[in-house]
Amino acid sequence: MYKSILVPYDKSEHAKHAMRHALDIAAASPDSSITVIYVAELPELEDPTFVVAAQMAGLGHANHDSVTMQKEFYNEAKKKIAADVQELLGDSDVPVTVTTASGRPQDAIASAAASGDYDLIVMGCRGLGALRGALGSVSFAVLRSVDIPVLAVK
């Protein structure tokens, strides 16, 4: 039924539950695949906290070009998320791809959904109170921003 599933993933228990549901959905259709998207905020290299931490670590002032550092940051984040997701896969043969993005999570997720490559988003929600809280602010924003089905998993 759903061929291409997008799963926003932040290593939380809610995201892990969403991933398990996405695997169940994808397993029901032999041609289905999952893309896991991790939205990371790039550290501010000129932030005083970062500069002090670098100096305390004996690194001095970071002098790599920012593009190289961004690539390294996202490659490392991608490896960590892929390792975490691999534990959830078990013996599943569903194809899973991991990707990273930057910016506000709801914007990055909506942008990925707008690419037209996905026909379902399965995401965790936190459930903190009223409607927005019941869904979680990110899942609520994604639900309002996309034109494809969203399955919010608690």
Side-chain angles (χ1 to χ4, degrees):
M1 185 153 118
Y2 296 107
K3 297 292 181 194
S4 187
I5 302 169
L6 181 65
V7 180
Y9 192 82
D10 63 2
K11 297 178 88 174
S12 69
E13 284 304 312
H14 299 287
K16 290 178 182 183
H17 290 300
M19 184 66 192
R20 289 183 193 104
H21 279 278
L23 285 167
D24 289 344
I25 292 167
S29 180
D31 297 332
S32 291
S33 65
I34 296 173
T35 298
V36 173
I37 184 170
Y38 174 70
V39 183
E41 216 173 296
L42 191 64
E44 288 291 328
L45 301 178
E46 298 302 321
D47 181 89
T49 305
F50 184 81
V51 171
V52 169
Q55 289 171 345
M56 290 177 68
L59 300 175
H61 186 59
N63 56 8
H64 284 81
D65 76 73
S66 62
V67 173
T68 301
M69 290 188 82
Q70 285 178 357
K71 285 181 183 177
E72 290 173 5
F73 176 80
Y74 284 115
N75 284 337
E76 190 61 31
K78 190 174 179 178
K79 286 180 194 174
K80 288 179 181 177
I81 294 300
D84 199 64
V85 167
Q86 187 61 42
E87 291 180 23
L88 298 172
L89 289 176
D91 61 355
S92 173
D93 60 352
V94 173
V96 175
T97 304
V98 176
T99 188
T100 58
S102 64
R104 292 178 22 179
Q106 59 268 31
D107 296 337
I109 295 163
S111 177
S115 72
D117 294 337
Y118 306 102
D119 50 18
L120 175 67
I121 298 173
V122 180
M123 63 187 302
C125 62
R126 296 205 187 327
L128 301 174
L131 177 60
R132 178 176 277 189
L135 286 175
S137 59
V138 173
S139 50
F140 181 75
V142 168
L143 185 61
R144 293 179 38 135
S145 302
V146 300
D147 293 328
I148 62 173
V150 176
L151 173 61
V153 179
K154 214 169 180 186

